[in-house]
Amino acid sequence: MGGSVERALGVHRVLEPRGALPQAALRLDADPAIGPDEVRIAVERLNLDAASFRQLSESCGGDGAAVRAAVLEIVTTRGKMQNPVTGSGGMLIGVVDAVGPESPLGLAVGQRVATLVSLTLTPLRITDGLADWDGRSEQVPAEGTAILFARSIAAVLPDDLPDPVSLALLDVCGAPAATARVVERTGARSLVVLGAAGKSGCLSLAAAREAGAVDLTGLVRDEREAAALRAAGLADRVVIADATDPLAVAAAVGTPADVTVVCVDVPAAEHGAVLATAQGGTVVFFSMATSFPAAALGAEGMAADVTMLVGNGYTPGHAALALDLYRRTPGVRALVDPRVEA
Ligand code: NAP
């Protein structure tokens, strides 16, 4: 690999272990002084990945101050926000405050942007001790600096949507894009979403409909979410089951679907997802709480001939698709808005 490629990927910012890529690294150098091909963002707000926030919150017994301390400790120790248990991060919004002369990202000082690369590889320094955050929500008001490499992606924030909404949508924008792509490529007719009333779940339902799927099932965990999803009108059928209980998922779903999209923020949904999927079908594991061994060995153990896809956070056009689905789909807005702190 040539030096310039290494720099573009941010390898020069890796402190430990040397030579690792930033995402896999234990520690990054979060020095706010930028190199000629880097961009510095003045951070305004972080969006912690749902699986990471849930894990931190549960491990701290819901104590917001303890969650805040845990996040600060991670960022201080690692130079990035990567939950060591879930391995996941999130993304951030802020204002571009310095652009190196050789940066290819096309950003200008003063632009308000969302980073579309994970916090797990973004050098991050927090300077306000997260004083304005109560530790009880995924969205974290924060002051500090973040660094983008030459090979990063950022989206200029839209003027017509509140920042917290844009941040929430852009964090999960890989899910609707991956769903649409699978439906289009396979010609799938039926689709099940596990965690369908959540942010990535409802966007995936809307994307599947637009991509041509005609038989949409939304699986949710309780009657409250079922009522909300029914009112949103995004699914043809709403079923209730614990996504971590494979037999309950299979019973609730009934006839397996061509495609299953896993959008829950808890571990152990792999086997239910496999059972919900028809032979020859496809499972998209968007959830960051997914276990590769559980998925692979579980499918093998059930003699399930299903294609299993890791929900790549990046698909070309993913940001615009998620924002547009939100703008033009009242049911998506009805489900996303209550989950987003204004
Ligand atoms: P979200 O808005 O919190 O939605 C998750 C949904 O799953 C919620 O409706 C939740 O219900 C439901 N759920 C939780 N446990 C369940 C269970 N046992 N049975 C049935 N439903 C259950 O989360 P999100 O922001 O859409 O994120 C979803 C997943 O995507 C997370 O795992 C996150 O890590 C992942 N993610 C992946 C990428 C990527 O690039 N692949 C990027 C960002 C996020 P309650 O609200 O009642 O708990």
Side-chain angles (χ1 to χ4, degrees), residues 49-51 54 138 171-172 195 197-200 221 224-225 241-244 263-266 286-289 311 313 339:
D49 165 78
R54 182 182 284 266
E138 289 167 18
D171 181 43
V172 297
K199 298 183 291 294
S200 58
R221 76 145 108 219
R224 187 185 56 81
E225 283 202 325
D242 177 354
T244 68
C263 290
V264 295
D265 56 349
V266 291
F286 188 69
S287 167
M288 283 294 161
R339 290 181 178 272

Side-chain angles (χ1 to χ4, degrees), residues 164-287:
V165 170
S166 300
L167 185 56
L169 295 171
L170 294 172
D171 181 43
V172 297
C173 64
T179 302
R181 183 185 264 193
V182 168
V183 170
E184 281 159 9
R185 286 188 177 171
T186 64
R189 308 277 295 164
S190 58
L191 178 135
V192 176
V193 175
L194 306 187
K199 298 183 291 294
S200 58
C202 69
L203 284 163
S204 298
L205 281 174
R209 178 85 70 201
E210 290 198 355
V214 292
D215 176 3
L216 302 184
T217 299
L219 183 142
V220 296
R221 76 145 108 219
D222 56 26
E223 186 49 53
R224 187 185 56 81
E225 283 202 325
L229 184 57
R230 276 187 216 107
L234 299 173
D236 301 301
R237 202 163 60 104
V238 177
V239 298
I240 299 175
D242 177 354
T244 68
D245 180 341
L247 299 179
V249 171
V253 168
T255 306
D258 298 332
V259 175
T260 301
V261 187
V262 182
C263 290
V264 295
D265 56 349
V266 291
E270 299 85 357
H271 297 173
V274 170
L275 287 176
T277 310
Q279 293 288 332
T282 304
V283 185
V284 181
F285 287 109
F286 188 69
S287 167

